[in-house]
Amino acid sequence: QHPILTLLIGMLHKLFTSKGLERAESRSRVCSLGILCLEHFPSRERGQLLRFVSNMCQSKVSSHRLLGVELIGEVLCQAWFWKDERNCQLKKTSDDAAEVSSLDLNSSFVQLALGNDVENDNIATTSLLLFSSLHSRLTDKLPAVRTRTAMSFVGVLQKSNVNSVMGLEIQTSSELNQEGGSC
């Protein structure tokens, strides 16, 4: 891992857990900066930081949980995140094609759908980890965290619904240029 990336990730960790995140304006600015940085990180470092954000949702500090669910909601609406997930799944599928059946009853997705607790270390994909972190905050003891979690879910569902109803597929500008398409 490159030392500059390590430094940036450390600074983001510090920023994400700094004091003063109780105010919505501060959280919004930190969230925006986090999303901008995440967009430019390599996928490995991005995954590490997203695991940290997921762990923030389990923090005893309410402002960390609030920022965690806000960041997760924003990340799940980003095209670059789903492009990374698709690439990861394609790589995993090609590596494990001979070994894995199409539905494994012990998979983390099935266990999560059945309502069973799934440890963060056992979750196969980053998207499942983020969704399970959001899911766990729906029953938070603080109404503000529950509300922000619900708002994050609504934002993700609205974005996915708009894209599926309009028949749009999220594409990056480089993909559009390769295909010769325009907006």
Side-chain angles (χ1 to χ4, degrees), residues 33-94:
L33 178 65
I35 295 297
L36 286 172
C37 290
L38 278 168
E39 183 177 0
H40 297 288
F41 281 173
S43 59
R44 180 178 172 206
E45 285 75 13
R46 191 181 294 166
Q48 291 173 348
L49 194 57
L50 290 175
R51 280 181 178 61
F52 176 79
V53 170
S54 175
N55 289 337
M56 285 175 52
C57 292
Q58 308 305 320
S59 174
K60 290 182 180 179
V61 181
S62 61
S63 61
H64 296 176
R65 296 192 310 267
L66 275 168
L67 181 63
V69 297
E70 194 168 330
L71 273 166
I72 289 172
E74 290 295 321
V75 166
L76 290 172
C77 291
Q78 301 297 317
W80 51 259
F81 173 76
W82 292 108
K83 183 179 177 187
D84 271 2
E85 282 293 293
R86 183 178 60 214
N87 292 340
C88 181
Q89 287 300 317
L90 289 174
K91 183 178 183 281
K92 186 175 181 177
T93 302
S94 65

Side-chain angles (χ1 to χ4, degrees), residues 107-113 116-124 132:
S107 74
S108 52
F109 180 75
V110 172
Q111 294 301 319
L112 188 63
N116 298 335
D117 287 336
V118 179
E119 293 295 323
N120 285 355
D121 297 339
N122 296 333
I123 296 181
S132 69

